[in-house]
Amino acid sequence: MLLIIAVALLGWTLYSVFCLVGNIRRIQKIGIPYHVIPCSPVNPLWILLEPLIFFILGLLPFEFGRIKHYGRRTWQFTDKAQSHMRMGDAWAIATPNEIFVYICDADAITDIIARRADFVRPIELFTLLNVFGPNVATTEGADWQRHRKIVAAPFNESLNSFVWREALTQAQSMLTTRATAGPSGGLGTDTRTLALNVLAATGFKRSTRFQSAQEAQSEDPRSYAQSLKTVMLNTFLIMLIPPSVLKFPIFPSWCRRAGEAVEDFKQHMLNMFNTEKTLLDQGKPGTGTLMSSFVRESTVDPKSNKTVLTLDEILGNIYVINFAGHDTTAGSLTYVLFLLAAYPNIQEWIAEEIRTVFPNPDRDTWDYKEAFPRLKRCLAVVVSTRPNPPL
């Protein structure tokens, strides 16, 4: 058995080296500077084991500078523009699986975005998001256009206004909770809870009061809010291991709970789907939620006799909206708040703008359409904080 494992590891290592050499040669043909790291930073197993890997690397007497820098998912934040300043407007990272090309030229980026047929997204990197079904993140070509058209439709100024009001409510609730409930699970936990609560209210009109860690523990773990939170917190585990397998007794209790949460969350979505479908079948407008919009598009197109959006695709898109929306929002908010604490001068700079835009402390008078376009300093801080992904 040990011999078989050793041969398998040797074979995998040789194959990885062969692929890495091939990718290096492809970059050399392009003629741009590059770095080499032994594993892709978007490899699911690498992502799962990243904390352990860097803990072990930190104990070794070697630097592993490039791996420690470019091997982290968040390396762009600390790097800023340093790599471009060293290597130019275009450079690359070679791994055994992929080549990542980073571009810092406005004309080149505009050309790439405009030529979707020539620069196709690497769909294989996103297939893990098919937890509940195909969605806008895991499709390409005509399929992507179909998903994109339907998913983008509900995101309009009316919805933005609702998000504005709910975000104000949740932020005030978070501040009140922190002032009265004492220590929390951390700033990242608070911003994630805020983002999930806003998403739940936006997508399904289920407004949830911001809760402390102690209050959340006492809530029914199979409720919509807790199921959604459990699924989002264990996203990478759920992507790597089928939820039905996670429920096996061999896994620890928190893994089994993650598998159960997937089924609970799916049941909640199915109940919402059936409710919206009943309302629409009765000639009623529905609840005006994301689910309502998606159900409206799930009917059969009379011209092609094909279902515009299947049930699995609806569930898949609801999931990916929650995943992408909560993670990016929570991460950006966490970084913004930490950086504002570190740079009091910037904190005062945007505070001056907020006091100017909102002279009345009554939140009910803070109108989205009137106020949002004037928050230019706040927007600048958020845009400057978010790390830019590679193209």
Side-chain angles (χ1 to χ4, degrees), residues 52 59 89 227 277 333:
L52 176 62
L59 299 176
D89 288 344
S227 296
K277 196 168 188 316
L333 281 175

Side-chain angles (χ1 to χ4, degrees), residues 240-389:
L240 289 172
I241 305 174
S244 57
V245 176
L246 281 175
K247 294 190 298 181
F248 288 176
I250 60 172
F251 289 99
S253 59
W254 65 273
C255 289
R256 297 199 299 273
R257 175 61 204 133
E260 293 167 355
V262 172
E263 290 190 358
D264 292 339
F265 182 56
K266 182 174 183 178
Q267 190 56 53
H268 284 295
M269 289 195 293
L270 288 174
N271 292 339
M272 295 173 195
F273 174 87
N274 292 329
T275 298
E276 296 292 347
K277 196 168 188 316
T278 299
L279 290 173
L280 293 174
D281 288 344
Q282 293 172 352
K284 298 178 181 179
T287 60
T289 61
L290 290 178
M291 180 64 82
S292 179
S293 177
F294 292 165
V295 172
R296 197 177 299 115
E297 298 295 345
S298 69
T299 55
V300 175
D301 184 351
K303 294 181 180 180
S304 63
N305 199 32
K306 292 182 179 179
T307 301
V308 179
L309 206 63
T310 67
L311 175 58
D312 284 346
E313 289 171 338
I314 290 175
L315 301 185
N317 279 299
I318 292 292
Y319 168 75
V320 82
I321 287 172
N322 276 284
F323 168 66
H326 106 275
D327 192 59
T328 53
T329 302
S332 296
L333 281 175
T334 302
Y335 275 114
V336 164
L337 294 173
F338 273 132
L339 289 172
L340 287 178
Y343 295 92
N345 58 319
I346 301 298
Q347 186 178 155
E348 179 54 36
W349 184 62
I350 65 169
E352 180 183 27
E353 177 181 74
I354 293 171
R355 288 192 294 267
T356 302
V357 175
F358 305 111
N360 189 338
D362 182 5
R363 289 188 294 111
D364 292 336
T365 65
W366 297 2
D367 180 68
Y368 163 74
K369 290 184 179 180
E370 189 276 331
F372 184 76
R374 299 173 60 193
L375 297 173
K376 300 183 185 299
R377 294 181 181 182
C378 292
L379 178 62
V381 167
V382 173
V383 172
S384 300
T385 299
R386 291 190 62 186
N388 295 320

Side-chain angles (χ1 to χ4, degrees), residues 43-63:
N43 180 294
L45 189 59
W46 178 273
I47 293 174
L48 191 64
L49 299 177
E50 182 181 305
L52 176 62
I53 291 172
F54 285 109
F55 173 77
I56 294 173
L57 290 180
L59 299 176
L60 299 177
F62 310 105
E63 282 299 320

